[in-house]
Amino acid sequence: DIQMTQSPSNLSASVGARVTITCRASQSISTWLAWYQQKPGKAPKLLIYKASNLESGVPSRFSGSGSGTEFTLTISSLQPDDCATYYCQQYDNFSWTFGQGTKVEVK
Amino acid sequence: QVQLVQSGVEVKKPGASVKVSCTASGYTFTSYGISWVRQAPGQGLEWMGWISVYDGNTNYAQKLQGRVTMTTDTSTNTAYMEMRSLRSEDTAVYYCARFGASLLDGMDVWGQGTTVTVSS
């Protein structure tokens, strides 16, 4: 099974800061990666699919990049509403696996 | 609007079964698949499996195979997830989510979640 490792597990940054979250796969997954945002007590929300495609309605400050085994989610200018946990999700052989999550705090 | 509405809270004893429903509205049910994801208290997301509403094909996470069954009823636009032989470790919020023509496009619409508690 492909393992996904997210880093960091937690981060704290000021409003307006540029924030980057990394997701590494244990083997190549091409661009078959999605990113989700989850706020406490709520269902996850799709942000990015196929590594770099912005889901409709998601603010343009969110972007994704990468291919193969290393991927990044970038928030170009952190906003108070971005306080949440972010998960990567990989697709391989008709199955999905989530990373362990990155909790983002806004100072 | 497009939405998935799940059934309510469940409390079960170890060894029992639970069946959670997920009713779709606002889109053509058979044009999308349904996936199930769970989240234990304070933990991350765990993918459980998916079902193609169009043809009934399923794929389950290896660790749940033999205990979980996913089905759909196209006459009521409802998907179901049944889990058997429940253990305390199955205590979690269970989510259904829609995925499109390709599994590669992610899950774009989610239900509100159903809390399942397994306790003696």
Side-chain angles (χ1 to χ4, degrees), chain A residues 27-72:
Chain A
Q27 62 190 74
S28 178
I29 55 170
S30 184
T31 57
W32 311 143
L33 187 103
W35 291 96
Y36 296 85
Q37 175 194 66
Q38 187 181 32
K39 297 182 178 180
K42 300 294 186 182
K45 174 186 175 182
L46 178 65
L47 299 176
I48 303 284
Y49 62 95
K50 289 180 184 173
S52 61
N53 292 271
L54 191 69
E55 174 68 0
S56 176
V58 174
S60 59
R61 64 181 180 273
F62 291 93
S63 64
S65 65
S67 66
T69 61
E70 187 152 335
F71 302 85
T72 58

mmCIF file of all heavy atoms in Angstrom, chain A residues 27-72:
data_model
loop_
_atom_site.group_PDB
_atom_site.id
_atom_site.type_symbol
_atom_site.label_atom_id
_atom_site.label_comp_id
_atom_site.label_asym_id
_atom_site.label_seq_id
_atom_site.Cartn_x
_atom_site.Cartn_y
_atom_site.Cartn_z
ATOM 1 N N GLN A 27 5.571 5.976 -3.001
ATOM 2 C CA GLN A 27 5.961 5.664 -4.374
ATOM 3 C C GLN A 27 5.191 6.605 -5.297
ATOM 4 O O GLN A 27 4.255 7.277 -4.871
ATOM 5 C CB GLN A 27 5.693 4.199 -4.730
ATOM 6 C CG GLN A 27 4.233 3.790 -4.674
ATOM 7 C CD GLN A 27 4.075 2.275 -4.800
ATOM 8 O OE1 GLN A 27 4.368 1.532 -3.869
ATOM 9 N NE2 GLN A 27 3.611 1.837 -5.942
ATOM 10 N N SER A 28 5.603 6.654 -6.558
ATOM 11 C CA SER A 28 5.031 7.630 -7.480
ATOM 12 C C SER A 28 3.529 7.425 -7.689
ATOM 13 O O SER A 28 3.059 6.304 -7.878
ATOM 14 C CB SER A 28 5.727 7.552 -8.836
ATOM 15 O OG SER A 28 5.129 8.467 -9.752
ATOM 16 N N ILE A 29 2.814 8.548 -7.629
ATOM 17 C CA ILE A 29 1.374 8.529 -7.873
ATOM 18 C C ILE A 29 0.995 9.509 -8.989
ATOM 19 O O ILE A 29 -0.133 9.997 -9.056
ATOM 20 C CB ILE A 29 0.567 8.854 -6.590
ATOM 21 C CG1 ILE A 29 1.005 10.189 -5.979
ATOM 22 C CG2 ILE A 29 0.705 7.723 -5.566
ATOM 23 C CD1 ILE A 29 0.090 10.666 -4.863
ATOM 24 N N SER A 30 1.989 9.809 -9.855
ATOM 25 C CA SER A 30 1.741 10.758 -10.942
ATOM 26 C C SER A 30 1.191 12.068 -10.356
ATOM 27 O O SER A 30 1.829 12.666 -9.508
ATOM 28 C CB SER A 30 0.784 10.138 -11.956
ATOM 29 O OG SER A 30 0.597 11.001 -13.061
ATOM 30 N N THR A 31 0.008 12.489 -10.802
ATOM 31 C CA THR A 31 -0.616 13.694 -10.221
ATOM 32 C C THR A 31 -1.943 13.344 -9.559
ATOM 33 O O THR A 31 -2.831 14.187 -9.426
ATOM 34 C CB THR A 31 -0.851 14.777 -11.291
ATOM 35 O OG1 THR A 31 -1.659 14.225 -12.335
ATOM 36 C CG2 THR A 31 0.456 15.304 -11.845
ATOM 37 N N TRP A 32 -2.061 12.086 -9.112
ATOM 38 C CA TRP A 32 -3.339 11.636 -8.544
ATOM 39 C C TRP A 32 -3.438 11.966 -7.070
ATOM 40 O O TRP A 32 -3.435 11.091 -6.203
ATOM 41 C CB TRP A 32 -3.521 10.144 -8.791
ATOM 42 C CG TRP A 32 -3.286 9.675 -10.202
ATOM 43 C CD1 TRP A 32 -2.704 8.518 -10.561
ATOM 44 C CD2 TRP A 32 -3.613 10.363 -11.432
ATOM 45 N NE1 TRP A 32 -2.653 8.417 -11.931
ATOM 46 C CE2 TRP A 32 -3.203 9.528 -12.493
ATOM 47 C CE3 TRP A 32 -4.211 11.580 -11.740
ATOM 48 C CZ2 TRP A 32 -3.368 9.865 -13.837
ATOM 49 C CZ3 TRP A 32 -4.380 11.930 -13.079
ATOM 50 C CH2 TRP A 32 -3.969 11.084 -14.096
ATOM 51 N N LEU A 33 -3.528 13.278 -6.790
ATOM 52 C CA LEU A 33 -3.576 13.750 -5.422
ATOM 53 C C LEU A 33 -4.590 14.864 -5.274
ATOM 54 O O LEU A 33 -4.707 15.726 -6.149
ATOM 55 C CB LEU A 33 -2.196 14.277 -4.985
ATOM 56 C CG LEU A 33 -2.132 14.618 -3.507
ATOM 57 C CD1 LEU A 33 -1.404 13.532 -2.736
ATOM 58 C CD2 LEU A 33 -1.524 15.977 -3.254
ATOM 59 N N ALA A 34 -5.322 14.823 -4.157
ATOM 60 C CA ALA A 34 -6.296 15.870 -3.836
ATOM 61 C C ALA A 34 -5.977 16.445 -2.460
ATOM 62 O O ALA A 34 -5.302 15.808 -1.648
ATOM 63 C CB ALA A 34 -7.706 15.296 -3.850
ATOM 64 N N TRP A 35 -6.471 17.655 -2.234
ATOM 65 C CA TRP A 35 -6.334 18.311 -0.926
ATOM 66 C C TRP A 35 -7.713 18.702 -0.412
ATOM 67 O O TRP A 35 -8.559 19.184 -1.175
ATOM 68 C CB TRP A 35 -5.470 19.573 -1.049
ATOM 69 C CG TRP A 35 -4.025 19.350 -1.327
ATOM 70 C CD1 TRP A 35 -3.397 19.371 -2.535
ATOM 71 C CD2 TRP A 35 -2.999 19.092 -0.356
ATOM 72 N NE1 TRP A 35 -2.058 19.136 -2.382
ATOM 73 C CE2 TRP A 35 -1.781 18.960 -1.052
ATOM 74 C CE3 TRP A 35 -2.986 18.957 1.038
ATOM 75 C CZ2 TRP A 35 -0.570 18.706 -0.415
ATOM 76 C CZ3 TRP A 35 -1.789 18.701 1.672
ATOM 77 C CH2 TRP A 35 -0.595 18.587 0.942
ATOM 78 N N TYR A 36 -7.895 18.519 0.896
ATOM 79 C CA TYR A 36 -9.160 18.855 1.548
ATOM 80 C C TYR A 36 -8.885 19.742 2.761
ATOM 81 O O TYR A 36 -7.844 19.639 3.400
ATOM 82 C CB TYR A 36 -9.891 17.591 2.034
ATOM 83 C CG TYR A 36 -10.309 16.672 0.920
ATOM 84 C CD1 TYR A 36 -9.426 15.742 0.400
ATOM 85 C CD2 TYR A 36 -11.593 16.740 0.380
ATOM 86 C CE1 TYR A 36 -9.802 14.895 -0.636
ATOM 87 C CE2 TYR A 36 -11.980 15.894 -0.656
ATOM 88 C CZ TYR A 36 -11.075 14.993 -1.155
ATOM 89 O OH TYR A 36 -11.460 14.155 -2.182
ATOM 90 N N GLN A 37 -9.878 20.564 3.067
ATOM 91 C CA GLN A 37 -9.862 21.396 4.267
ATOM 92 C C GLN A 37 -10.995 20.910 5.171
ATOM 93 O O GLN A 37 -12.116 20.700 4.700
ATOM 94 C CB GLN A 37 -10.109 22.853 3.880
ATOM 95 C CG GLN A 37 -10.241 23.823 5.040
ATOM 96 C CD GLN A 37 -10.821 25.164 4.581
ATOM 97 O OE1 GLN A 37 -11.978 25.246 4.161
ATOM 98 N NE2 GLN A 37 -10.006 26.202 4.637
ATOM 99 N N GLN A 38 -10.700 20.747 6.449
ATOM 100 C CA GLN A 38 -11.750 20.360 7.388
ATOM 101 C C GLN A 38 -11.721 21.265 8.613
ATOM 102 O O GLN A 38 -10.698 21.377 9.282
ATOM 103 C CB GLN A 38 -11.615 18.905 7.834
ATOM 104 C CG GLN A 38 -12.802 18.441 8.691
ATOM 105 C CD GLN A 38 -12.682 17.011 9.173
ATOM 106 O OE1 GLN A 38 -11.594 16.506 9.414
ATOM 107 N NE2 GLN A 38 -13.829 16.335 9.311
ATOM 108 N N LYS A 39 -12.852 21.878 8.887
ATOM 109 C CA LYS A 39 -13.004 22.690 10.097
ATOM 110 C C LYS A 39 -13.661 21.859 11.180
ATOM 111 O O LYS A 39 -14.394 20.900 10.870
ATOM 112 C CB LYS A 39 -13.805 23.950 9.778
ATOM 113 C CG LYS A 39 -13.087 24.840 8.766
ATOM 114 C CD LYS A 39 -13.834 26.113 8.481
ATOM 115 C CE LYS A 39 -13.033 26.962 7.504
ATOM 116 N NZ LYS A 39 -13.710 28.249 7.182
ATOM 117 N N PRO A 40 -13.429 22.178 12.446
ATOM 118 C CA PRO A 40 -13.962 21.370 13.553
ATOM 119 C C PRO A 40 -15.463 21.144 13.464
ATOM 120 O O PRO A 40 -16.222 22.094 13.245
ATOM 121 C CB PRO A 40 -13.579 22.188 14.786
ATOM 122 C CG PRO A 40 -12.369 22.948 14.380
ATOM 123 C CD PRO A 40 -12.590 23.292 12.936
ATOM 124 N N GLY A 41 -15.863 19.888 13.577
ATOM 125 C CA GLY A 41 -17.271 19.537 13.564
ATOM 126 C C GLY A 41 -17.928 19.579 12.207
ATOM 127 O O GLY A 41 -19.154 19.403 12.109
ATOM 128 N N LYS A 42 -17.137 19.779 11.160
ATOM 129 C CA LYS A 42 -17.687 19.878 9.809
ATOM 130 C C LYS A 42 -17.115 18.799 8.904
ATOM 131 O O LYS A 42 -16.074 18.209 9.195
ATOM 132 C CB LYS A 42 -17.367 21.250 9.193
ATOM 133 C CG LYS A 42 -17.935 22.421 9.972
ATOM 134 C CD LYS A 42 -19.448 22.433 9.940
ATOM 135 C CE LYS A 42 -20.016 23.687 10.592
ATOM 136 N NZ LYS A 42 -21.491 23.682 10.594
ATOM 137 N N ALA A 43 -17.816 18.550 7.792
ATOM 138 C CA ALA A 43 -17.309 17.617 6.793
ATOM 139 C C ALA A 43 -16.135 18.246 6.048
ATOM 140 O O ALA A 43 -16.036 19.476 5.941
ATOM 141 C CB ALA A 43 -18.415 17.244 5.817
ATOM 142 N N PRO A 44 -15.249 17.428 5.515
ATOM 143 C CA PRO A 44 -14.159 17.966 4.686
ATOM 144 C C PRO A 44 -14.699 18.674 3.446
ATOM 145 O O PRO A 44 -15.816 18.418 2.989
ATOM 146 C CB PRO A 44 -13.368 16.708 4.302
ATOM 147 C CG PRO A 44 -13.696 15.713 5.363
ATOM 148 C CD PRO A 44 -15.131 15.989 5.720
ATOM 149 N N LYS A 45 -13.851 19.552 2.912
ATOM 150 C CA LYS A 45 -14.189 20.306 1.706
ATOM 151 C C LYS A 45 -13.063 20.132 0.695
ATOM 152 O O LYS A 45 -11.886 20.310 1.031
ATOM 153 C CB LYS A 45 -14.350 21.790 2.051
ATOM 154 C CG LYS A 45 -14.556 22.712 0.860
ATOM 155 C CD LYS A 45 -14.551 24.165 1.306
ATOM 156 C CE LYS A 45 -14.641 25.111 0.125
ATOM 157 N NZ LYS A 45 -14.595 26.541 0.560
ATOM 158 N N LEU A 46 -13.407 19.782 -0.527
ATOM 159 C CA LEU A 46 -12.406 19.610 -1.586
ATOM 160 C C LEU A 46 -11.848 20.959 -2.015
ATOM 161 O O LEU A 46 -12.591 21.878 -2.349
ATOM 162 C CB LEU A 46 -13.045 18.894 -2.781
ATOM 163 C CG LEU A 46 -12.158 18.670 -4.004
ATOM 164 C CD1 LEU A 46 -11.006 17.710 -3.681
ATOM 165 C CD2 LEU A 46 -12.991 18.121 -5.166
ATOM 166 N N LEU A 47 -10.521 21.070 -2.004
ATOM 167 C CA LEU A 47 -9.848 22.299 -2.443
ATOM 168 C C LEU A 47 -9.187 22.128 -3.810
ATOM 169 O O LEU A 47 -9.331 22.979 -4.687
ATOM 170 C CB LEU A 47 -8.756 22.692 -1.440
ATOM 171 C CG LEU A 47 -9.157 23.000 -0.004
ATOM 172 C CD1 LEU A 47 -7.894 23.270 0.825
ATOM 173 C CD2 LEU A 47 -10.105 24.179 0.062
ATOM 174 N N ILE A 48 -8.422 21.066 -3.952
ATOM 175 C CA ILE A 48 -7.575 20.832 -5.120
ATOM 176 C C ILE A 48 -7.732 19.378 -5.548
ATOM 177 O O ILE A 48 -7.774 18.489 -4.691
ATOM 178 C CB ILE A 48 -6.088 21.078 -4.780
ATOM 179 C CG1 ILE A 48 -5.842 22.486 -4.247
ATOM 180 C CG2 ILE A 48 -5.190 20.765 -5.985
ATOM 181 C CD1 ILE A 48 -5.841 23.579 -5.282
ATOM 182 N N TYR A 49 -7.802 19.123 -6.848
ATOM 183 C CA TYR A 49 -7.800 17.754 -7.349
ATOM 184 C C TYR A 49 -6.772 17.637 -8.468
ATOM 185 O O TYR A 49 -6.380 18.636 -9.084
ATOM 186 C CB TYR A 49 -9.197 17.325 -7.804
ATOM 187 C CG TYR A 49 -9.764 18.129 -8.950
ATOM 188 C CD1 TYR A 49 -9.640 17.698 -10.261
ATOM 189 C CD2 TYR A 49 -10.414 19.350 -8.718
ATOM 190 C CE1 TYR A 49 -10.151 18.436 -11.310
ATOM 191 C CE2 TYR A 49 -10.927 20.094 -9.759
ATOM 192 C CZ TYR A 49 -10.797 19.631 -11.055
ATOM 193 O OH TYR A 49 -11.300 20.372 -12.098
ATOM 194 N N LYS A 50 -6.340 16.406 -8.720
ATOM 195 C CA LYS A 50 -5.276 16.135 -9.701
ATOM 196 C C LYS A 50 -4.091 17.076 -9.476
ATOM 197 O O LYS A 50 -3.554 17.660 -10.420
ATOM 198 C CB LYS A 50 -5.809 16.245 -11.131
ATOM 199 C CG LYS A 50 -6.741 15.107 -11.512
ATOM 200 C CD LYS A 50 -7.228 15.264 -12.945
ATOM 201 C CE LYS A 50 -8.244 14.194 -13.302
ATOM 202 N NZ LYS A 50 -8.855 14.410 -14.625
ATOM 203 N N ALA A 51 -3.720 17.202 -8.231
ATOM 204 C CA ALA A 51 -2.523 17.900 -7.759
ATOM 205 C C ALA A 51 -2.581 19.417 -7.874
ATOM 206 O O ALA A 51 -2.081 20.115 -6.976
ATOM 207 C CB ALA A 51 -1.276 17.378 -8.472
ATOM 208 N N SER A 52 -3.168 19.949 -8.935
ATOM 209 C CA SER A 52 -3.066 21.395 -9.138
ATOM 210 C C SER A 52 -4.338 22.060 -9.637
ATOM 211 O O SER A 52 -4.326 23.273 -9.907
ATOM 212 C CB SER A 52 -1.937 21.697 -10.134
ATOM 213 O OG SER A 52 -2.215 21.090 -11.387
ATOM 214 N N ASN A 53 -5.422 21.310 -9.741
ATOM 215 C CA ASN A 53 -6.680 21.880 -10.240
ATOM 216 C C ASN A 53 -7.523 22.424 -9.094
ATOM 217 O O ASN A 53 -7.889 21.682 -8.174
ATOM 218 C CB ASN A 53 -7.472 20.812 -10.998
ATOM 219 C CG ASN A 53 -6.808 20.411 -12.286
ATOM 220 O OD1 ASN A 53 -7.022 20.992 -13.340
ATOM 221 N ND2 ASN A 53 -5.945 19.406 -12.205
ATOM 222 N N LEU A 54 -7.827 23.701 -9.160
ATOM 223 C CA LEU A 54 -8.597 24.353 -8.103
ATOM 224 C C LEU A 54 -10.077 24.013 -8.264
ATOM 225 O O LEU A 54 -10.667 24.224 -9.338
ATOM 226 C CB LEU A 54 -8.391 25.866 -8.172
ATOM 227 C CG LEU A 54 -8.893 26.699 -7.003
ATOM 228 C CD1 LEU A 54 -8.058 26.432 -5.756
ATOM 229 C CD2 LEU A 54 -8.858 28.192 -7.353
ATOM 230 N N GLU A 55 -10.673 23.495 -7.201
ATOM 231 C CA GLU A 55 -12.094 23.181 -7.230
ATOM 232 C C GLU A 55 -12.897 24.473 -7.368
ATOM 233 O O GLU A 55 -12.520 25.520 -6.836
ATOM 234 C CB GLU A 55 -12.495 22.440 -5.955
ATOM 235 C CG GLU A 55 -13.977 22.156 -5.770
ATOM 236 C CD GLU A 55 -14.551 21.143 -6.746
ATOM 237 O OE1 GLU A 55 -13.815 20.624 -7.606
ATOM 238 O OE2 GLU A 55 -15.769 20.876 -6.654
ATOM 239 N N SER A 56 -13.996 24.392 -8.092
ATOM 240 C CA SER A 56 -14.846 25.556 -8.299
ATOM 241 C C SER A 56 -15.286 26.173 -6.971
ATOM 242 O O SER A 56 -15.695 25.461 -6.047
ATOM 243 C CB SER A 56 -16.084 25.138 -9.094
ATOM 244 O OG SER A 56 -16.977 26.212 -9.236
ATOM 245 N N GLY A 57 -15.172 27.492 -6.886
ATOM 246 C CA GLY A 57 -15.604 28.205 -5.697
ATOM 247 C C GLY A 57 -14.549 28.355 -4.622
ATOM 248 O O GLY A 57 -14.753 29.071 -3.631
ATOM 249 N N VAL A 58 -13.414 27.698 -4.784
ATOM 250 C CA VAL A 58 -12.329 27.786 -3.788
ATOM 251 C C VAL A 58 -11.508 29.047 -4.069
ATOM 252 O O VAL A 58 -11.146 29.301 -5.220
ATOM 253 C CB VAL A 58 -11.447 26.529 -3.840
ATOM 254 C CG1 VAL A 58 -10.231 26.677 -2.925
ATOM 255 C CG2 VAL A 58 -12.268 25.301 -3.438
ATOM 256 N N PRO A 59 -11.195 29.819 -3.046
ATOM 257 C CA PRO A 59 -10.433 31.063 -3.269
ATOM 258 C C PRO A 59 -9.099 30.809 -3.956
ATOM 259 O O PRO A 59 -8.438 29.796 -3.711
ATOM 260 C CB PRO A 59 -10.218 31.598 -1.846
ATOM 261 C CG PRO A 59 -11.342 31.027 -1.057
ATOM 262 C CD PRO A 59 -11.601 29.673 -1.637
ATOM 263 N N SER A 60 -8.705 31.750 -4.783
ATOM 264 C CA SER A 60 -7.485 31.596 -5.589
ATOM 265 C C SER A 60 -6.208 31.677 -4.762
ATOM 266 O O SER A 60 -5.118 31.423 -5.285
ATOM 267 C CB SER A 60 -7.452 32.645 -6.699
ATOM 268 O OG SER A 60 -7.498 33.942 -6.134
ATOM 269 N N ARG A 61 -6.301 32.010 -3.480
ATOM 270 C CA ARG A 61 -5.089 32.009 -2.640
ATOM 271 C C ARG A 61 -4.609 30.579 -2.367
ATOM 272 O O ARG A 61 -3.480 30.376 -1.913
ATOM 273 C CB ARG A 61 -5.312 32.751 -1.323
ATOM 274 C CG ARG A 61 -6.348 32.136 -0.401
ATOM 275 C CD ARG A 61 -6.489 32.983 0.873
ATOM 276 N NE ARG A 61 -7.467 32.443 1.804
ATOM 277 C CZ ARG A 61 -8.749 32.725 1.764
ATOM 278 N NH1 ARG A 61 -9.218 33.546 0.834
ATOM 279 N NH2 ARG A 61 -9.587 32.190 2.650
ATOM 280 N N PHE A 62 -5.468 29.592 -2.622
ATOM 281 C CA PHE A 62 -5.073 28.193 -2.492
ATOM 282 C C PHE A 62 -4.520 27.692 -3.834
ATOM 283 O O PHE A 62 -5.106 27.941 -4.889
ATOM 284 C CB PHE A 62 -6.268 27.318 -2.101
ATOM 285 C CG PHE A 62 -6.771 27.555 -0.707
ATOM 286 C CD1 PHE A 62 -7.792 28.457 -0.479
ATOM 287 C CD2 PHE A 62 -6.217 26.886 0.372
ATOM 288 C CE1 PHE A 62 -8.267 28.693 0.800
ATOM 289 C CE2 PHE A 62 -6.679 27.110 1.662
ATOM 290 C CZ PHE A 62 -7.699 28.021 1.882
ATOM 291 N N SER A 63 -3.401 26.993 -3.781
ATOM 292 C CA SER A 63 -2.863 26.381 -4.986
ATOM 293 C C SER A 63 -2.162 25.085 -4.632
ATOM 294 O O SER A 63 -1.698 24.898 -3.501
ATOM 295 C CB SER A 63 -1.904 27.329 -5.706
ATOM 296 O OG SER A 63 -0.777 27.597 -4.898
ATOM 297 N N GLY A 64 -2.087 24.194 -5.605
ATOM 298 C CA GLY A 64 -1.407 22.920 -5.409
ATOM 299 C C GLY A 64 -0.403 22.686 -6.510
ATOM 300 O O GLY A 64 -0.574 23.164 -7.638
ATOM 301 N N SER A 65 0.645 21.951 -6.171
ATOM 302 C CA SER A 65 1.654 21.630 -7.168
ATOM 303 C C SER A 65 2.287 20.292 -6.831
ATOM 304 O O SER A 65 2.092 19.753 -5.726
ATOM 305 C CB SER A 65 2.718 22.720 -7.240
ATOM 306 O OG SER A 65 3.437 22.795 -6.027
ATOM 307 N N GLY A 66 3.073 19.787 -7.774
ATOM 308 C CA GLY A 66 3.820 18.558 -7.553
ATOM 309 C C GLY A 66 3.406 17.429 -8.463
ATOM 310 O O GLY A 66 2.359 17.480 -9.117
ATOM 311 N N SER A 67 4.237 16.415 -8.485
ATOM 312 C CA SER A 67 3.951 15.193 -9.227
ATOM 313 C C SER A 67 4.908 14.118 -8.739
ATOM 314 O O SER A 67 5.939 14.433 -8.121
ATOM 315 C CB SER A 67 4.090 15.394 -10.740
ATOM 316 O OG SER A 67 5.429 15.667 -11.075
ATOM 317 N N GLY A 68 4.571 12.888 -9.016
ATOM 318 C CA GLY A 68 5.431 11.792 -8.585
ATOM 319 C C GLY A 68 5.242 11.473 -7.113
ATOM 320 O O GLY A 68 4.245 10.863 -6.731
ATOM 321 N N THR A 69 6.182 11.898 -6.280
ATOM 322 C CA THR A 69 6.092 11.571 -4.854
ATOM 323 C C THR A 69 6.005 12.784 -3.942
ATOM 324 O O THR A 69 5.777 12.631 -2.742
ATOM 325 C CB THR A 69 7.301 10.727 -4.402
ATOM 326 O OG1 THR A 69 8.492 11.495 -4.621
ATOM 327 C CG2 THR A 69 7.384 9.417 -5.166
ATOM 328 N N GLU A 70 6.184 13.982 -4.444
ATOM 329 C CA GLU A 70 6.163 15.159 -3.579
ATOM 330 C C GLU A 70 5.185 16.208 -4.077
ATOM 331 O O GLU A 70 5.213 16.617 -5.239
ATOM 332 C CB GLU A 70 7.571 15.758 -3.459
ATOM 333 C CG GLU A 70 7.632 16.883 -2.450
ATOM 334 C CD GLU A 70 9.003 17.039 -1.817
ATOM 335 O OE1 GLU A 70 9.766 16.061 -1.777
ATOM 336 O OE2 GLU A 70 9.303 18.165 -1.366
ATOM 337 N N PHE A 71 4.354 16.657 -3.161
ATOM 338 C CA PHE A 71 3.271 17.579 -3.481
ATOM 339 C C PHE A 71 3.198 18.677 -2.425
ATOM 340 O O PHE A 71 3.557 18.454 -1.276
ATOM 341 C CB PHE A 71 1.932 16.834 -3.528
ATOM 342 C CG PHE A 71 1.914 15.714 -4.526
ATOM 343 C CD1 PHE A 71 2.386 14.454 -4.175
ATOM 344 C CD2 PHE A 71 1.442 15.903 -5.813
ATOM 345 C CE1 PHE A 71 2.390 13.408 -5.093
ATOM 346 C CE2 PHE A 71 1.436 14.878 -6.738
ATOM 347 C CZ PHE A 71 1.917 13.630 -6.377
ATOM 348 N N THR A 72 2.721 19.843 -2.842
ATOM 349 C CA THR A 72 2.553 20.933 -1.901
ATOM 350 C C THR A 72 1.202 21.609 -2.078
ATOM 351 O O THR A 72 0.690 21.730 -3.191
ATOM 352 C CB THR A 72 3.652 21.990 -2.035
ATOM 353 O OG1 THR A 72 3.633 22.498 -3.374
ATOM 354 C CG2 THR A 72 5.016 21.409 -1.738
#
